[in-house]
Amino acid sequence: MRELGISVLDELIGQLARLPGIGQKTAQRLAIFILKSSDGYAQELAQAILNVKQKTRLCKRCFNVAEDELCAICSDPRRDTHKICVVEDIVDVLAIEETHTYRGLYHVLGGVISPLAGVNPEDLNIRSLIERVKNEPIEEVILALNPSTEAETTIIYITKLLKDMEVQISRLASGVPMGAHLEYLDGATIGMAIQSRQKISKDT
Ligand SMILES: [Zn+2]
């Protein structure tokens, strides 16, 4: 990709292109937009970026992003404290919150077990999850990990640790996405959907 020869602009394009999902073309478009925008907007954008780094930390209970010791979810008295939804990353908390279907608490693992990538159980927030199940009135642990072989390993590992505890363990249903056609799905997805099929209630 040709550089514009204006070092400060090329620097901004280079930094924007490092963002996930942003290619060189989009980075150029964004940089030109910022260049043409008002001083006020550029100032607010730069400050917002700095704030998100300087004024946030990880929740000491669930490792979600927080402005105080506890995140907004952990400190909300309306949440159901009997359920923990275990996710890989903060972005998964956002995805589940957007559905407005879950009112329990979370626990962010910070990844999944992957010996090939050098990620071992002690690198993840697994010990703290087990401590929470021991010390909080948890009745159900929902393992909401992104489907992968590493996630399977992680689910087996956590399930073993929770085996003797008085807690229900569940995982997300795998299956056919809304709007999909069976003929275009891969065999593994169809196989999981058949295995995790649900009974249809005849009661109306
Ligand atoms: Zn929290």
Side-chain angles (χ1 to χ4, degrees), residues 152-180:
E152 287 304 315
T153 307
T154 310
I155 287 171
I156 292 167
Y157 185 85
I158 293 175
T159 305
K160 269 190 189 154
L161 292 177
L162 293 174
K163 197 176 62 158
D164 298 325
M165 295 189 201
E166 289 268 324
V167 66
Q168 161 87 47
I169 309 168
S170 42
R171 58 182 296 167
L172 293 189
S174 332
V176 180
M178 289 293 279

Short mmCIF file of all heavy atoms in Angstrom, two decimals, residues 152-180:
data_model
loop_
_atom_site.label_atom_id
_atom_site.label_comp_id
_atom_site.label_asym_id
_atom_site.label_seq_id
_atom_site.Cartn_x
_atom_site.Cartn_y
_atom_site.Cartn_z
N GLU A 152 -13.22 -27.25 24.54
CA GLU A 152 -13.62 -28.57 25.05
C GLU A 152 -12.68 -28.99 26.18
O GLU A 152 -13.11 -29.47 27.22
CB GLU A 152 -13.60 -29.62 23.93
CG GLU A 152 -14.74 -29.49 22.93
CD GLU A 152 -16.12 -29.51 23.56
OE1 GLU A 152 -16.38 -30.37 24.44
OE2 GLU A 152 -16.94 -28.65 23.21
N THR A 153 -11.37 -28.84 25.95
CA THR A 153 -10.36 -29.17 26.97
C THR A 153 -10.64 -28.38 28.24
O THR A 153 -10.59 -28.91 29.35
CB THR A 153 -8.95 -28.81 26.45
OG1 THR A 153 -8.77 -29.43 25.19
CG2 THR A 153 -7.87 -29.28 27.40
N THR A 154 -10.94 -27.10 28.08
CA THR A 154 -11.17 -26.21 29.22
C THR A 154 -12.44 -26.62 29.97
O THR A 154 -12.47 -26.62 31.20
CB THR A 154 -11.29 -24.75 28.71
OG1 THR A 154 -10.17 -24.48 27.87
CG2 THR A 154 -11.30 -23.77 29.87
N ILE A 155 -13.48 -26.99 29.21
CA ILE A 155 -14.74 -27.41 29.83
C ILE A 155 -14.52 -28.68 30.65
O ILE A 155 -14.96 -28.78 31.80
CB ILE A 155 -15.84 -27.63 28.75
CG1 ILE A 155 -16.30 -26.26 28.21
CG2 ILE A 155 -17.02 -28.43 29.29
CD1 ILE A 155 -17.22 -26.32 26.99
N ILE A 156 -13.76 -29.64 30.08
CA ILE A 156 -13.48 -30.89 30.80
C ILE A 156 -12.69 -30.59 32.08
O ILE A 156 -12.98 -31.10 33.16
CB ILE A 156 -12.71 -31.88 29.88
CG1 ILE A 156 -13.64 -32.37 28.75
CG2 ILE A 156 -12.17 -33.07 30.68
CD1 ILE A 156 -12.93 -33.10 27.62
N TYR A 157 -11.70 -29.70 31.96
CA TYR A 157 -10.83 -29.36 33.10
C TYR A 157 -11.66 -28.73 34.23
O TYR A 157 -11.56 -29.14 35.39
CB TYR A 157 -9.74 -28.40 32.63
CG TYR A 157 -8.72 -28.07 33.69
CD1 TYR A 157 -7.62 -28.89 33.91
CD2 TYR A 157 -8.87 -26.92 34.47
CE1 TYR A 157 -6.70 -28.60 34.89
CE2 TYR A 157 -7.94 -26.61 35.46
CZ TYR A 157 -6.85 -27.45 35.67
OH TYR A 157 -5.95 -27.15 36.64
N ILE A 158 -12.49 -27.75 33.89
CA ILE A 158 -13.28 -27.05 34.91
C ILE A 158 -14.33 -27.99 35.52
O ILE A 158 -14.55 -28.00 36.73
CB ILE A 158 -13.96 -25.79 34.31
CG1 ILE A 158 -12.89 -24.75 33.93
CG2 ILE A 158 -14.98 -25.19 35.27
CD1 ILE A 158 -13.42 -23.51 33.22
N THR A 159 -14.95 -28.82 34.66
CA THR A 159 -15.97 -29.76 35.14
C THR A 159 -15.36 -30.72 36.18
O THR A 159 -15.98 -31.01 37.20
CB THR A 159 -16.56 -30.55 33.96
OG1 THR A 159 -17.06 -29.61 33.00
CG2 THR A 159 -17.70 -31.45 34.39
N LYS A 160 -14.13 -31.17 35.92
CA LYS A 160 -13.45 -32.07 36.88
C LYS A 160 -13.26 -31.37 38.22
O LYS A 160 -13.47 -31.96 39.29
CB LYS A 160 -12.08 -32.50 36.32
CG LYS A 160 -12.16 -33.78 35.53
CD LYS A 160 -10.76 -34.29 35.22
CE LYS A 160 -10.83 -35.44 34.23
NZ LYS A 160 -9.60 -35.55 33.44
N LEU A 161 -12.83 -30.12 38.18
CA LEU A 161 -12.58 -29.38 39.42
C LEU A 161 -13.86 -29.15 40.21
O LEU A 161 -13.83 -29.04 41.43
CB LEU A 161 -11.91 -28.03 39.12
CG LEU A 161 -10.48 -28.06 38.58
CD1 LEU A 161 -10.00 -26.66 38.27
CD2 LEU A 161 -9.53 -28.74 39.57
N LEU A 162 -14.99 -29.07 39.51
CA LEU A 162 -16.26 -28.76 40.18
C LEU A 162 -17.05 -30.03 40.53
O LEU A 162 -18.12 -29.96 41.12
CB LEU A 162 -17.13 -27.87 39.27
CG LEU A 162 -16.62 -26.45 38.99
CD1 LEU A 162 -17.51 -25.77 37.97
CD2 LEU A 162 -16.56 -25.62 40.27
N LYS A 163 -16.47 -31.18 40.15
CA LYS A 163 -17.19 -32.45 40.22
C LYS A 163 -17.86 -32.71 41.58
O LYS A 163 -19.02 -33.08 41.64
CB LYS A 163 -16.22 -33.59 39.89
CG LYS A 163 -16.87 -34.90 39.52
CD LYS A 163 -15.83 -35.91 39.11
CE LYS A 163 -14.92 -36.18 40.29
NZ LYS A 163 -14.19 -37.36 40.38
N ASP A 164 -17.12 -32.48 42.66
CA ASP A 164 -17.65 -32.82 43.98
C ASP A 164 -18.38 -31.67 44.65
O ASP A 164 -18.69 -31.74 45.84
CB ASP A 164 -16.50 -33.32 44.87
CG ASP A 164 -15.89 -34.59 44.29
OD1 ASP A 164 -16.65 -35.39 43.72
OD2 ASP A 164 -14.65 -34.75 44.39
N MET A 165 -18.63 -30.61 43.94
CA MET A 165 -19.29 -29.46 44.55
C MET A 165 -20.78 -29.47 44.23
O MET A 165 -21.20 -29.97 43.18
CB MET A 165 -18.66 -28.16 44.06
CG MET A 165 -17.23 -28.03 44.52
SD MET A 165 -16.61 -26.39 44.14
CE MET A 165 -14.85 -26.71 44.18
N GLU A 166 -21.55 -28.91 45.13
CA GLU A 166 -23.02 -28.86 44.98
C GLU A 166 -23.40 -27.77 43.99
O GLU A 166 -23.89 -26.73 44.39
CB GLU A 166 -23.64 -28.55 46.34
CG GLU A 166 -23.56 -29.67 47.34
CD GLU A 166 -24.79 -30.56 47.30
OE1 GLU A 166 -25.89 -30.01 47.08
OE2 GLU A 166 -24.63 -31.78 47.47
N VAL A 167 -23.13 -28.02 42.75
CA VAL A 167 -23.43 -26.98 41.76
C VAL A 167 -23.80 -27.63 40.43
O VAL A 167 -23.23 -28.66 40.04
CB VAL A 167 -22.23 -26.00 41.63
CG1 VAL A 167 -21.02 -26.71 41.06
CG2 VAL A 167 -22.57 -24.78 40.82
N GLN A 168 -24.79 -27.05 39.77
CA GLN A 168 -25.18 -27.53 38.44
C GLN A 168 -24.20 -26.94 37.42
O GLN A 168 -23.90 -25.74 37.47
CB GLN A 168 -26.60 -27.04 38.18
CG GLN A 168 -27.04 -27.01 36.75
CD GLN A 168 -27.61 -28.35 36.32
OE1 GLN A 168 -28.44 -28.93 37.03
NE2 GLN A 168 -27.16 -28.83 35.19
N ILE A 169 -23.69 -27.77 36.51
CA ILE A 169 -22.81 -27.25 35.47
C ILE A 169 -23.53 -27.39 34.13
O ILE A 169 -24.05 -28.46 33.82
CB ILE A 169 -21.48 -28.03 35.39
CG1 ILE A 169 -20.83 -28.13 36.78
CG2 ILE A 169 -20.50 -27.38 34.42
CD1 ILE A 169 -19.68 -29.12 36.85
N SER A 170 -23.60 -26.31 33.37
CA SER A 170 -24.21 -26.42 32.05
C SER A 170 -23.33 -25.73 31.02
O SER A 170 -22.41 -25.00 31.36
CB SER A 170 -25.63 -25.84 32.05
OG SER A 170 -25.68 -24.65 32.78
N ARG A 171 -23.61 -25.99 29.77
CA ARG A 171 -22.86 -25.37 28.68
C ARG A 171 -23.84 -24.86 27.65
O ARG A 171 -25.00 -25.25 27.65
CB ARG A 171 -21.89 -26.37 28.05
CG ARG A 171 -22.58 -27.62 27.50
CD ARG A 171 -21.59 -28.61 26.93
NE ARG A 171 -20.92 -28.01 25.79
CZ ARG A 171 -19.83 -28.51 25.22
NH1 ARG A 171 -19.29 -29.62 25.69
NH2 ARG A 171 -19.27 -27.93 24.20
N LEU A 172 -23.39 -24.00 26.78
CA LEU A 172 -24.28 -23.47 25.75
C LEU A 172 -24.68 -24.60 24.80
O LEU A 172 -23.88 -25.48 24.51
CB LEU A 172 -23.57 -22.38 24.94
CG LEU A 172 -23.22 -21.09 25.65
CD1 LEU A 172 -22.73 -20.07 24.64
CD2 LEU A 172 -24.41 -20.53 26.41
N ALA A 173 -25.92 -24.55 24.31
CA ALA A 173 -26.34 -25.50 23.29
C ALA A 173 -25.55 -25.22 22.01
O ALA A 173 -25.29 -24.07 21.69
CB ALA A 173 -27.83 -25.34 23.03
N SER A 174 -25.14 -26.29 21.31
CA SER A 174 -24.53 -26.07 20.00
C SER A 174 -25.57 -26.45 18.98
O SER A 174 -26.35 -27.35 19.20
CB SER A 174 -23.32 -26.95 19.75
OG SER A 174 -22.72 -27.28 20.93
N GLY A 175 -25.58 -25.80 17.88
CA GLY A 175 -26.58 -26.16 16.90
C GLY A 175 -26.61 -25.32 15.67
O GLY A 175 -25.61 -24.72 15.29
N VAL A 176 -27.76 -25.30 15.08
CA VAL A 176 -27.95 -24.67 13.78
C VAL A 176 -28.25 -23.19 14.01
O VAL A 176 -29.20 -22.86 14.70
CB VAL A 176 -29.12 -25.35 13.06
CG1 VAL A 176 -29.35 -24.73 11.70
CG2 VAL A 176 -28.85 -26.85 12.93
N PRO A 177 -27.44 -22.29 13.45
CA PRO A 177 -27.71 -20.86 13.66
C PRO A 177 -29.00 -20.43 12.96
O PRO A 177 -29.39 -21.02 11.95
CB PRO A 177 -26.51 -20.16 13.00
CG PRO A 177 -25.57 -21.22 12.60
CD PRO A 177 -26.30 -22.53 12.59
N MET A 178 -29.65 -19.38 13.50
CA MET A 178 -30.85 -18.83 12.88
C MET A 178 -30.56 -18.44 11.43
O MET A 178 -29.52 -17.85 11.15
CB MET A 178 -31.30 -17.58 13.64
CG MET A 178 -31.88 -17.85 15.00
SD MET A 178 -33.44 -18.74 14.93
CE MET A 178 -34.54 -17.37 14.60
N GLY A 179 -31.45 -18.80 10.53
CA GLY A 179 -31.30 -18.40 9.13
C GLY A 179 -30.39 -19.30 8.31
O GLY A 179 -30.19 -19.07 7.13
N ALA A 180 -29.81 -20.34 8.97
CA ALA A 180 -28.88 -21.21 8.24
C ALA A 180 -29.63 -22.29 7.46
O ALA A 180 -30.79 -22.56 7.74
CB ALA A 180 -27.92 -21.86 9.22
#
